[in-house]
Amino acid sequence: MLRAVVIDNGLHYLEHSFRSNDAVAYRFERIGAEFDPVFDGADILIVPNGSDHIAMLRVREKVARFLDAGHALMCFDGWFTNWVPGNRWIMDNSRPTRDVRYAVVTDRHGVMDGVEIDTLIFSHGISGWWACGYIEPNPAAHVLLADTWGRAIAVIDEVSTPGTIILTASGPLGDGSYDGEAGGPGLLYHNLIGYIARRGAHHERNRATL
Amino acid sequence: MSGIGLLFNGVWSHYAFATAPKYRGLYRLIYIHDLTRESIASLDALAIPFQSNHEAIARRRDIIYEFLAAGGKVFVEGDSSPAWIDAQWSDRPVNNWWWVTEPNNPPVADTDYAHPLFQGLAPRHACWHTHGVYTRVPEGADVLQRNGDGEIITWQTTRYGGTLLATTLDPIVEHGVGQITHLDNFCDNLTAWLCGVRPEPGTMTVDADAFGIDRFG
């Protein structure tokens, strides 16, 4: 079982999006005036939609150490402060949402298996609901999804740090928040968790071999 | 300095709105965990957007009520907490596709268009979607909007000195998100009502250079 720390910005709906289950045990770190989160024992740091990027900027060295230790970061929000190593998110409202479409660019780990990309593009027939703005990724990172204009909106970065950085351009993902939608964003989230679990098992085997 | 203090908890949509060229001269971002009496003393109004940290706000409620007592305006959008406001917000499913499936049945049925917040707005500009309702409001409060079931969407009261206006609409968050294109109408009215200055007409743009910052404040 993976152990995940979820950054908690005091939003009322967060606990519904990250309920512990057989695959992941979630622990919440609530932001306050003296935010000093504990990541010890965690495999994944999750920064969900609606997070506090002033607080994250103040703890960016702790995040960097977490990644340097080989762990995983999942940020499903727009990080307007520079706390994510190697990658920048930029808001942009100049493109009409009716023109937004997504395409898979590179899926090395099969995280889009079974995911209906139209569930990310459309909600009740309306396009452009999921991501906002775009990511300027580390050029060596792998872009999972790009938008109509070829801009990265989901990235898996295994090069900026010894850890794994999974980013969406504020496209919300969660564990249980999309239950009931076959092939929807919930499946993408679970596939990403599966990838991190496999990656962790691979590292454990290598460590044992060494 | 006069203007509007936008109490924010590091959420990007709040930041995008307050740093937009159209609004940044009128709004000042105040990180909720750094809020002090001194930091808001010279302001005309406070705006508390949806997706705020109401636990953090409740710890600083005295500062907000002192600001109101001094005659300031306070605008609260989206949800709220009875830990700091004498009202009860209740969650409801959000319908943000009604304009496709039922364009003649918006989530708000009655609006007081005489209020400066709504003056000159078309019905569609006065409501895009709602995040819940208020099941209890302060005694004597004026109700400004209701949904089709008669539930309260927007209300205001002057019982604390200045004006406290709360709504389950979320204009600041949605304008920051940029997926609803007509929100300049509502947000320009809101800004003018809060601080007496109407932003320059036109569509809100985003300043890309404001993103990826290494320092805040």
Side-chain angles (χ1 to χ4, degrees):
Chain A
M1 174 184 282
L2 294 169
R3 294 154 298 178
V5 167
V6 181
I7 298 299
D8 179 354
N9 199 12
L11 307 182
H12 71 90
Y13 50 80
L14 199 60
E15 70 250 34
H16 302 298
S17 298
F18 297 97
R19 293 185 191 277
S20 293
N21 52 59
D22 291 344
V24 189
Y26 294 104
R27 178 169 64 79
F28 293 83
E29 280 283 354
R30 177 66 67 95
I31 291 170
E34 305 297 331
F35 183 52
D36 187 20
V38 175
F39 301 152
D40 295 350
D43 306 295
I44 314 172
L45 169 61
I46 297 175
V47 181
N49 210 250
S51 284
D52 181 340
H53 298 281
I54 303 300
M56 292 310 297
L57 181 66
R58 292 176 178 176
V59 300
R60 68 173 163 182
E61 290 175 4
K62 185 172 278 193
V63 174
R65 287 196 296 274
F66 183 75
L67 287 164
D68 285 345
H71 301 307
L73 163 67
M74 304 171 99
C75 178
F76 307 130
D77 202 18
W79 65 99
F80 61 87
T81 61
N82 189 22
W83 64 268
V84 176
N87 299 268
R88 181 178 177 227
W89 172 80
I90 300 166
M91 177 51 188
D92 176 42
N93 68 345
S94 67
R95 312 296 171 101
T97 52
R98 65 176 176 272
D99 293 339
V100 169
R101 301 291 183 274
Y102 304 136
V104 177
V105 180
T106 308
D107 186 12
R108 292 177 189 159
H109 306 298
V111 298
M112 291 298 290
D113 288 354
V115 176
E116 297 290 338
I117 199 164
D118 275 0
T119 63
L120 300 176
I121 298 170
F122 298 103
S123 174
H124 299 272
I126 302 165
S127 68
W129 71 275
W130 190 60
C132 295
Y134 60 97
I135 298 167
E136 282 186 350
N138 182 322
H142 107 240
V143 175
L144 178 65
L145 298 172
D147 68 7
T148 306
W149 304 277
R151 306 177 304 180
I153 56 112
V155 168
I156 299 180
D157 179 357
E158 297 162 299
V159 294
S160 293
T161 71
T164 299
I165 302 174
I166 295 172
L167 305 165
T168 70
S170 200
L173 292 176
D175 198 334
S177 55
Y178 299 101
D179 281 356
E181 190 173 8
L187 179 60
L188 173 56
Y189 178 83
H190 290 138
N191 286 350
L192 289 166
I193 290 293
Y195 159 60
I196 292 171
R198 293 193 301 276
R199 180 185 179 279
H202 174 76
H203 283 209
E204 284 302 312
R205 278 197 302 276
N206 282 356
R207 188 179 300 169
T209 303
L210 287 171
Chain B
M1 172 197 166
S2 58
I4 304 160
L6 199 160
L7 302 189
F8 99 125
N9 56 333
V11 168
W12 74 258
S13 59
H14 309 167
Y15 178 83
F17 175 84
T19 58
K22 180 174 181 178
Y23 296 109
R24 64 189 174 199
L26 299 171
Y27 287 83
R28 185 204 298 172
L29 283 164
I30 298 172
Y31 188 48
I32 185 63
H33 303 291
D34 295 338
L35 173 66
T36 63
R37 287 174 177 80
E38 294 72 27
S39 64
I40 60 173
S42 62
L43 296 172
D44 300 304
L46 300 177
I48 300 174
F50 183 45
Q51 294 195 319
S52 282
N53 184 332
H54 288 283
E55 184 179 291
I57 293 169
R59 279 197 217 103
R60 296 158 183 82
R61 57 169 286 158
D62 290 350
I63 298 174
I64 294 169
Y65 281 93
E66 285 172 24
F67 183 84
L68 272 168
K73 287 177 177 168
V74 175
F75 171 74
V76 184
E77 71 169 42
D79 61 336
S80 67
S81 167
W84 74 272
I85 199 167
D86 184 22
Q88 183 62 54
W89 173 85
S90 181
D91 203 5
R92 296 285 189 277
V94 178
N95 180 347
N96 52 19
W97 58 90
W98 63 271
W99 54 276
V100 174
T101 56
E102 294 183 280
N104 297 317
N105 187 24
V108 164
D110 295 310
T111 297
D112 178 1
Y113 286 102
H115 191 281
L117 199 57
F118 302 109
Q119 277 177 10
L121 296 184
R124 182 169 166 174
H125 298 162
C127 175
W128 43 100
H129 58 238
T130 56
H131 287 277
V133 300
Y134 276 95
T135 56
R136 178 176 61 82
V137 298
E139 189 178 338
D142 298 317
V143 175
L144 304 176
Q145 284 188 309
R146 292 182 187 271
N147 66 16
D149 294 327
E151 295 173 306
I152 297 169
I153 303 299
T154 304
W155 56 272
Q156 73 171 17
T157 180
T158 56
R159 68 182 300 164
Y160 307 110
T163 303
L164 170 63
L165 190 151
T167 180
T168 70
L169 302 171
D170 58 344
I172 290 173
V173 160
E174 288 296 350
H175 211 20
V177 167
Q179 292 175 337
I180 300 173
T181 55
H182 61 67
L183 285 174
D184 290 280
N185 300 291
F186 191 100
C187 288
D188 291 2
N189 268 16
L190 171 66
T191 304
W193 179 69
L194 286 173
C195 72
V197 179
R198 180 167 289 276
E200 291 294 317
T203 302
M204 184 187 98
T205 58
V206 171
D207 179 6
D209 289 339
F211 293 82
I213 59 172
D214 286 301
R215 292 188 61 192
F216 175 79

